Amino acid sequence: MWLISMAVSVLLVVSLWKLFTKAGKPGWAAIVPVYNIIVMMEIIGRPTWWTVLYFVPVANIVVSIINMLDFAKSYGKSAGYGVLMIFFPYIMYPILAFSTDTKYVGPVALEAAPVQ
């Protein structure tokens, strides 16, 4: 059982590493605990202070859902793909990372921000 969980963990780290690299960010950021969330915020276009919300009970669930949906959209996928990433991350992250047709399209959360 321990071996299986280690293999799945390594697969997720490798997938995140590859996704960060596709977005032009350092791949090693996938293995640094809080910095990987900050890099993910940069990839999706959210302000970095949203990282603090991951440490607030209940808010962390809402922020995680929003970020997964935005993360999928940042790679040109639909909101439905983002929902699948929420429920099946061990399957969807590697598919997104190792798919040759998946390209980083840019931060999508910036598009939703009102122009002043």
Side-chain angles (χ1 to χ4, degrees):
M1 199 60 161
W2 181 83
L3 209 59
I4 292 170
S5 73
M6 284 301 297
V8 170
S9 296
V10 168
L11 179 64
L12 278 179
V13 168
V14 169
S15 299
L16 262 182
W17 189 301
K18 194 158 177 66
L19 287 169
F20 284 6
T21 305
K22 282 185 180 185
K25 301 293 181 185
W28 57 264
I31 59 174
V32 181
V34 176
Y35 185 61
N36 62 6
I37 298 171
I38 293 170
V39 170
M40 188 177 288
M41 295 295 173
E42 292 172 359
I43 289 172
I44 63 177
R46 294 278 176 204
T48 54
W49 66 264
W50 271 41
T51 306
V52 175
L53 296 175
Y54 274 91
F55 300 101
V56 178
V58 182
N60 59 3
I61 297 169
V62 174
V63 169
S64 296
I65 291 170
I66 292 169
N67 288 341
M68 279 302 115
L69 296 173
D70 287 345
F71 196 68
K73 290 178 187 175
S74 291
Y75 287 92
K77 300 298 182 186
S78 66
Y81 194 94
V83 170
L84 288 174
M85 284 180 69
I86 293 166
F87 292 108
F88 305 108
Y90 304 108
I91 298 169
M92 302 312 287
Y93 270 103
I95 290 173
L96 189 64
F98 295 106
S99 174
T100 56
D101 63 335
T102 300
K103 305 285 185 244
Y104 178 65
V105 296
V108 294
L110 292 177
E111 296 171 4
V115 178
Q116 297 182 13

